[in-house]
C-alpha cells in the first residue's frame, strides 16, 4: 500500500492543487494514526522509561535500547510466555533437550509468577547475571534452584536443575559424561552445603558454601554460560 501511494504521489506532484495537498497530508496523517493504533492493540505491554531502567540496572541507556529492539523482535507483544521462551532456547541447543531447563529459568525470570516475562523482568535478571556482584549472582542462582520458592533448596530440587542442564547440553559433550554423573555431583555439592545436615540448604548455607569453595561456584554457575 505504501509503495502504491508513493507512486501515486509522484505522478500527481506537478498538477496537484493546494486543496489536494492538504487532503493528501491529512490522509497520510490518518493512515499513520490508524497504524499506530493497530500497533498499540498488538502490544500487550510497553516497558518502563529507559531512564528508570538505567537507574535500576547496570546497563546504559544505549545498551537498553539495543536489548529492547532484540526483545521486541522476538516478542512483538512486549512480553514472552513460557512456550515462546522454550522455542527460543531450543534454537541454541539443537543437540539436547532444553525444555526442562528453560522451564526452570523462565520461572526464575517470572518473579511475579504471572506466566509471562516483561522486558523489565528480563533486563533486570540479565543485569544481575552479567554485571552483578558475586553476592547478587549467588542469590539469583539460589532462587533458580529453589524451584518451589519455599526459601530452601532440597536435594531433589538441586538434582532437577543439574539434570536439566546436562539434558540441555546433550550427548555430545566432551569428555562424554556417564549417566550417573549429575547424581554424583549433586551428592557432593549437597553434602558440603547442608551444614547442619537437616536435609535442606538455606540461603545463608548456600552463600557460605559458595564463598568457601570456588569449585561449587564454578559448577553452580554453569547455567550462566548457557544464558
Amino acid at each position: 500500500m505504501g509503495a502504491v501511494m508513493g507512486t501515486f504521489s509522484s505522478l500527481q506532484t506537478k498538477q496537484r492543487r493546494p486543496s489536494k495537498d492538504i487532503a493528501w497530508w491529512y490522509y497520510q496523517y490518518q493512515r499513520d494514526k490508524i497504524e499506530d493504533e493497530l500497533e498499540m492493540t498488538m502490544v500487550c505491554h510497553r516497558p518502563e522509561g529507559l531512564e528508570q531502567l538505567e537507574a535500576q540496572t547496570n546497563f546504559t541507556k544505549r545498551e537498553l535500547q539495543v536489548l529492547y529492539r532484540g526483545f521486541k523482535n522476538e516478542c512483538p507483544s512486549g512480553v514472552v510466555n513460557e512456550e515462546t521462551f522454550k522455542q527460543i532456547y531450543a534454537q541454541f541447543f539443537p543437540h539436547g533437550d532444553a525444555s526442562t531447563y528453560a522451564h526452570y529459568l523462565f520461572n526464575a525470570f517470572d518473579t511475579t509468577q504471572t506466566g509471562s516475562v516483561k522486558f523489565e523482568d528480563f533486563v533486570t535478571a540479565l543485569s544481575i547475571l552479567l554485571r552483578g556482584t558475586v553476592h547478587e549472582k549467588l542469590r539469583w542462582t539460589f532462587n533458580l534452584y529453589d524451584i518451589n520458592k519455599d526459601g530452601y533448596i532440597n536435594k531433589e530440587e538441586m538434582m532437577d536443575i543439574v539434570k536439566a542442564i546436562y539434558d540441555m547440553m546433550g550427548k555430545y559433550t566432551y569428555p562424554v559424561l556417564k549417566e550417573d554423573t549429575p547424581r554424583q555431583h549433586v551428592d557432593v555439592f549437597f553434602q558440603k552445603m547442608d551444614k547442619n545436615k537437616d536435609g535442606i540448604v538455606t540461603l545463608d548455607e548456600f552463600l557460605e558454601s559458595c564463598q568457601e569453595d570456588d569449585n561449587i561456584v564454578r559448577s553452580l554457575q554453569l547455567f550462566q554460560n548457557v544464558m
Side-chain angles (χ1 to χ4, degrees):
M1 175 62 76
V4 173
M5 296 310 298
T7 302
F8 176 80
S9 175
S10 63
L11 290 174
Q12 297 294 325
T13 300
K14 293 183 179 180
Q15 299 180 0
R16 194 187 300 132
R17 285 181 269 174
S19 60
K20 288 187 176 180
D21 284 336
I22 295 173
W24 170 255
W25 288 112
Y26 180 74
Y27 165 77
Q28 291 284 79
Y29 167 76
Q30 290 296 328
R31 188 184 68 173
D32 292 344
K33 183 179 180 182
I34 291 173
E35 289 177 349
D36 289 342
E37 290 175 349
L38 285 173
E39 182 181 0
M40 284 294 291
T41 62
M42 294 175 61
V43 177
C44 299
H45 175 77
R46 290 187 179 278
E48 301 170 358
L50 293 184
E51 293 79 7
Q52 183 175 347
L53 287 176
E54 184 179 10
Q56 294 173 344
T57 67
N58 297 312
F59 294 120
T60 65
K61 186 175 181 179
R62 174 60 181 164
E63 289 172 329
L64 289 168
Q65 289 172 335
V66 173
L67 287 169
Y68 181 64
R69 278 198 294 269
F71 186 88
K72 188 73 180 296
N73 184 57
E74 293 289 346
C75 314
S77 65
V79 296
V80 57
N81 59 31
E82 184 173 337
E83 190 58 35
T84 301
F85 193 83
K86 288 180 178 180
Q87 292 172 4
I88 294 172
Y89 235 72
Q91 298 174 17
F92 295 99
F93 300 93
H95 300 300
D97 180 4
S99 60
T100 303
Y101 181 73
H103 165 73
Y104 293 136
L105 193 62
F106 181 86
N107 287 341
F109 275 80
D110 182 17
T111 55
T112 56
Q113 303 300 302
T114 60
S116 61
V117 173
K118 300 179 294 185
F119 177 69
E120 295 93 325
D121 302 324
F122 170 75
V123 79
T124 298
L126 202 62
S127 173
I128 293 173
L129 294 173
L130 296 181
R131 298 180 180 176
T133 65
V134 172
H135 190 267
E136 289 172 335
K137 291 178 180 179
L138 290 176
R139 288 183 68 94
W140 199 93
T141 306
F142 180 88
N143 182 62
L144 172 69
Y145 278 76
D146 179 16
I147 295 175
N148 64 7
K149 309 305 177 192
D150 63 353
Y152 307 98
I153 300 174
N154 59 45
K155 202 169 188 177
E156 289 70 27
E157 288 175 318
M158 186 176 290
M159 182 62 198
D160 288 343
I161 296 290
V162 172
K163 186 177 184 305
I165 292 175
Y166 281 107
D167 288 345
M168 178 175 59
M169 301 306 292
K171 300 178 180 179
Y172 301 98
T173 56
Y174 181 84
V176 177
L177 299 172
K178 296 180 180 179
E179 187 174 345
D180 62 345
T181 299
R183 171 64 66 182
Q184 291 176 355
H185 285 178
V186 169
D187 287 343
V188 173
F189 296 154
F190 202 86
Q191 184 176 1
K192 289 182 179 181
M193 290 183 177
D194 186 12
K195 301 289 187 181
N196 60 2
K197 310 304 177 186
D198 62 352
I200 57 175
V201 174
T202 65
L203 176 59
D204 289 338
E205 288 176 323
F206 183 82
L207 294 174
E208 182 181 349
S209 299
C210 290
Q211 291 167 352
E212 290 175 350
D213 192 334
D214 290 338
N215 290 325
I216 295 179
V217 176
R218 282 193 292 269
S219 298
L220 290 177
Q221 289 183 333
L222 172 62
F223 75 91
Q224 291 188 42
N225 297 324
V226 294
M227 283 295 295

